Structure formats: structure tokens, C-alpha cells
Amino acid sequence: MADRLLVFANPEVQKLLKEEFVAVAADDWYQRRRKDETGKFFWKVASQGPRNPNATQQGHYVFTAKGKLLGFNNNRGPERRLAMMNDALKKWRALPDSEKKVKIPAKGKSDGRYHHELPGGGQIVKVYTRCLEEREGRLQKLAEDKVGNQAAVDHLWFQKSEVEELGKLIADGGGEIPEWLALRMARFHLRDNTRGEPRDWKKEEIKKWSLKVDAKGRMSGDFLIDSPDGKLGYQGKIEGKLAVEKDRLSKFELLIVGKHWGSGTYTGGARPGRTPIGHVFRLTDGKKESDQIPPQGIRWADGYWDPRR
Amino acid sequence: MNILKKTVLAGIGLMAIQPLLSDEALVKEILPSKTESAWLSIDWKTDLWSAREEAARSGKPIYLWEMDGHPLGCV
């Protein structure tokens, strides 16, 4: 996440990327596993780099449409990244035109195990997460110099039939939200992802959950999630508003505030004790590519779509 | 979003009283700031094959940002 502020907010990096490159971002967990034409092309590029082929391939690559690697690094900081980009551009400019404008074959069928798209008619809710602290008598984002002070983002996906079910629930006067949504939110979205990839919550770790919607679409509830050893958990309150018009979500806004405790394998550096954290859920039209990123939790697709498993 | 009353915060032991904080202020604290969102002014593609096709069309090299956990999502 540090790259976002340190490197990609840098005006010189931005100018270079916008003018000289086609920029693409990908989840290595999927990319290095997929067995399709995209996966083959990725490995053609990555195998020219320095990474151990049996481990993560994460980093920053510059290459041609034919797959010739021109630059790689995994350093933070704009200076070294700019040096790599400029060096790669020099190599690019030295290439013959036949290497630059090439005919690309058909993509072929994507490997569905490692490629997810929003189902037809589905909708997307952005999920923002921020560690908070109490200062000057109110909850604020962490001070600039503290680890994990940036907002993290994920996406909550709905299928068309699920939205219709929510609409019917409100039309019928409201009640407890369906178990599939409760567990999807709890297991895959109420997590501290501000310092890396958190693990999914197990179903049995959801110790308490209540989220009701009334006939006007107002939502309120609370929850307690706790690991068996009590070292990782989250307790909080939920308030928000849900509206469905013509079987489409027209509003899905939640504010969740609670206290989180503990670190996961890839989320080290948590503050000691139980510390404040907040989430904001906001419906998006999903038109921007960055809004179409699959939910982190959909790596286990069967579980994401049916979290009662 | 007119939500999260002070009693809610008090209920989970976060704060005793929060009389001056509007709900919108807390939402603003949580949402990414303009500075934090600056990196999204880059037209990031999310599909490597589409990026490859565009690179071939436009005669530009590809810059790939590859992370465990999608760089534009998750974390």
C-alpha cells in the first residue's frame, strides 16, 4: 500500500506512466496460478525476472506486448522506480518497430478458478477500512507517522437475485438481513486489511451477529468475532441505509465502528490491545476498472457466494 | 449518512460522549483522502491481456504492478 503514496502519487511517475506506458495492476495470487493464455503470457515475462518460480512473483515489471522483459524491481520509493522505468524506456526505444506493434492472438477462455467477474446483473459496494484513534475527544484517522494510517479498500459483490431478495425483505416490512449477507460481510469484509492481507473469519468465530433492516431501509446491528484463542477479534456496531428500486440497489451505505485486536500472518504490526477501527460501505456503479476488482474473499469463490458453508 | 449516534460509540466503549462530531465527519475520516487517492488518476487496467492488446495497438510498453492481494483493492 505504501507504493500508492510513495510512488504512484509522485507527479513524475504519474506523468511517465500516463504518457509512455500502458499501466496494469494484477493480483499475483491469481496471476501466477492461472492456467490460461493470460497466465502463460505472465510466466513468459516473469520467468525473465529474478523471482524464484516457486514463490510470489510480486513486483514491478516493464515489458513489450510480445513479452520481452525490459525492467523489474520491487523497491519502494520513486527514485529507484523512476530509474527502472527510464532504463526500460531506453531499451524500448532501441527496439525495432516490429517488436512494438504486434498482432496479439485471441485471449481464449479464462481459467475460472483464478479469474472472477461480477455475475451478470450483479452490483458492487466499495468497502473502505481505516484504523482510528481517539484524539481531541473524537475518533480520527491515525497520525501520519503511524503504521497502517492509510485507508484500505475492498469490494462487496452482490448477485442480482440477492438484491431482489433484499428488496423483498424491505417491502415485507424488514427484519434480520439474510444469513448469506450477514456471513459474507462478517467473514470476508469486517477485517483489518490496513497492513496487508487478512485471513477470512471462520464461521464459528462469528460469536454474535445481528443486523436488521426496517421497512424504510434503515439498518442497525452489532457483532462480535473472536478467534478460539482470543488473540484475534473484532467487536463493533453497524448503522446504515439500504434501498432497492426496481430490483436494483439504489443505496447501500454502512458505517461500522468497533474495536479490533490482534495481527494475522500477513497483517503484522497491529497496535497492542483492542483499538478502534472503522468501515464505510458505499454503493458504486462499477464503471471504473478499479471498482471491478474482485473481493479479496472470493479467492474461495464457493464460500464467498455461500458463506454458510 | 445520518447514523451512528453517540450512544452507539459509548456502547462499545469507544468514547463516552461525542457531541460535536457529525456522522459525516467520521465517514470522512475513514474514506481515502484526496492525497491518498492520487494514484488512481493513472488509468490502471486490471486485465493483463487487455493491456497487452492496447500496448500492441498504441506501440507502448506495458507497466505491470503485481502484488499478492490486488494493488487496486484488498489492501
Side-chain angles (χ1 to χ4, degrees):
Chain A
M1 192 144 60
D3 268 334
R4 294 177 184 170
L5 273 181
L6 281 175
V7 179
F8 295 119
N10 178 288
E12 205 176 336
V13 172
Q14 289 201 348
K15 185 172 189 299
L16 209 52
L17 269 179
K18 289 174 184 175
E19 292 177 359
E20 305 289 348
F21 295 90
V22 174
V24 58
D27 185 341
D28 185 58
W29 191 88
Y30 288 111
Q31 197 106 291
R32 68 176 186 259
R33 287 175 168 83
R34 56 193 297 174
K35 307 287 186 202
D36 54 15
E37 291 306 313
T38 302
K40 283 182 204 167
F41 178 66
F42 171 69
W43 274 109
K44 179 179 178 181
V45 174
S47 62
Q48 298 166 64
R51 289 285 197 188
N52 175 347
N54 298 314
T56 177
Q57 300 298 302
Q58 63 185 351
H60 300 260
Y61 300 77
V62 176
F63 49 95
T64 70
K66 279 178 95 168
K68 181 180 174 57
L69 184 67
L70 302 173
F72 171 88
N73 84 14
N74 195 34
N75 302 311
R76 288 178 179 166
E79 295 82 11
R80 286 200 277 184
R81 194 69 54 74
L82 279 167
M84 184 275 277
M85 292 165 74
N86 281 314
D87 181 62
L89 274 178
K90 270 187 199 166
K91 291 176 186 168
W92 166 259
R93 287 173 184 136
L95 291 173
D97 282 349
S98 59
E99 290 286 320
K100 296 177 181 173
K101 291 206 173 184
V102 293
K103 187 169 167 49
I104 303 301
K107 181 180 178 181
K109 192 171 182 290
S110 293
D111 182 347
R113 296 169 303 170
Y114 302 113
H115 175 78
H116 300 294
E117 291 179 6
L118 183 71
Q123 290 189 263
I124 303 166
V125 170
K126 292 194 81 92
V127 180
Y128 300 98
T129 307
R130 174 91 76 179
C131 287
L132 302 166
E133 63 185 357
E134 195 174 339
R135 295 199 311 273
E136 300 160 355
R138 65 187 180 94
L139 286 174
Q140 300 186 46
K141 64 182 82 170
L142 298 184
E144 293 289 324
D145 58 343
K146 291 191 177 172
V147 173
N149 72 327
Q150 291 179 53
V153 62
D154 198 0
H155 302 89
L156 166 62
W157 278 5
F158 286 95
Q159 299 183 64
K160 186 174 185 295
S161 59
E162 295 173 338
V163 172
E164 291 167 0
E165 187 179 339
L166 292 176
K168 187 169 185 312
L169 176 64
I170 296 170
D172 289 346
E176 200 63 46
I177 65 161
E179 192 180 20
W180 56 262
L181 177 55
L183 287 171
R184 187 177 302 159
M185 285 176 58
R187 297 184 67 185
F188 302 111
H189 292 288
L190 298 188
R191 311 189 290 183
D192 179 4
N193 55 349
T194 59
R195 295 177 313 283
E197 294 177 277
R199 72 166 171 84
D200 303 336
W201 295 112
K202 296 184 177 75
K203 191 177 166 186
E204 57 272 23
E205 290 175 321
I206 317 301
K207 305 294 185 191
K208 183 185 173 195
W209 178 276
S210 173
L211 181 57
K212 289 180 178 160
V213 61
D214 69 14
K216 291 186 175 177
R218 291 177 299 217
M219 290 191 285
S220 63
D222 54 15
F223 61 91
L224 169 64
I225 306 170
D226 203 4
S227 62
D229 62 6
K231 292 181 178 175
L232 188 67
Y234 187 10
Q235 182 175 20
K237 296 275 183 184
I238 309 171
E239 295 281 344
K241 177 83 177 157
L242 163 67
V244 179
E245 295 173 24
K246 295 181 181 172
D247 290 337
R248 299 283 293 167
L249 284 173
S250 57
K251 187 181 280 285
F252 192 98
E253 292 186 350
L254 290 178
L255 176 57
I256 299 172
V257 179
K259 285 191 171 181
H260 188 280
W261 57 95
S263 296
T265 306
Y266 304 110
T267 59
R271 293 171 290 169
R274 299 184 178 216
T275 54
I277 190 169
H279 300 274
V280 170
F281 286 52
R282 286 243 168 121
L283 182 68
T284 174
D285 61 17
K287 287 180 181 168
K288 287 168 64 180
E289 282 205 38
S290 58
D291 291 341
Q292 297 163 14
I293 305 300
Q296 174 77 2
I298 210 168
R299 286 180 179 180
W300 179 35
D302 290 344
Y304 190 82
W305 290 121
D306 185 4
R308 292 164 291 198
R309 287 165 178 259
Chain B
M1 188 159 37
N2 183 22
I3 55 177
L4 209 68
K5 305 294 183 248
K6 62 187 179 185
T7 49
V8 171
L9 290 167
I12 50 175
L14 282 175
M15 310 178 72
I17 300 175
Q18 200 170 29
L20 300 177
L21 177 63
S22 71
D23 301 325
E24 286 74 16
L26 184 53
V27 169
K28 195 175 168 189
E29 288 289 331
I30 295 169
L31 292 174
S33 66
K34 197 174 170 185
T35 306
E36 282 176 292
S37 303
W39 61 283
L40 282 171
S41 73
I42 295 162
D43 182 23
W44 293 104
K45 297 203 161 299
T46 58
D47 180 79
L48 179 57
W49 203 267
S50 301
R52 189 183 183 199
E53 289 172 335
E54 184 176 325
R57 261 197 316 273
S58 62
K60 290 180 177 179
I62 300 162
Y63 183 105
L64 170 64
W65 181 11
E66 178 101 353
M67 274 177 63
D68 273 312
H70 203 291
L72 307 186
C74 171
V75 292

